[in-house]
Amino acid sequence: MASRPGPGFHPHLPGFGHQFLAKALGASMWFFIFYRARQDGSKLLGLSHPWEAHGHGHHDDHGHGEHH
């Protein structure tokens, strides 16, 4: 006995192009999230302060000269 589709919504399966695009966009999203987590994860989690990074606290490196 063959089953007939009943009433209602019967979506099509996505084509190869849509599947590939979905996987590519999803992968790039996760790569970007992991990249930003690597760069700023400790600041986001509160393990360090944003002003402690990159040596910005040293005023000697900016070339302002001597302050007398």
Side-chain angles (χ1 to χ4, degrees), residues 2-66:
S3 64
R4 294 185 340 190
F9 179 66
H10 301 287
H12 296 227
L13 294 177
F16 175 76
H18 288 115
Q19 288 179 355
F20 180 80
L21 185 61
K23 288 179 184 177
L25 289 174
S28 62
M29 174 195 68
W30 283 111
F31 288 139
F32 180 75
I33 288 173
F34 289 138
Y35 172 76
R36 293 307 300 173
R38 184 176 178 204
Q39 298 294 318
D40 297 329
S42 61
K43 294 174 207 61
L44 180 65
L45 296 174
L47 301 176
S48 71
H49 297 290
W51 56 85
E52 293 175 350
H54 307 295
H56 287 263
H58 302 288
H59 293 289
D60 300 344
D61 298 338
H62 295 294
H64 292 298
E66 297 283 328

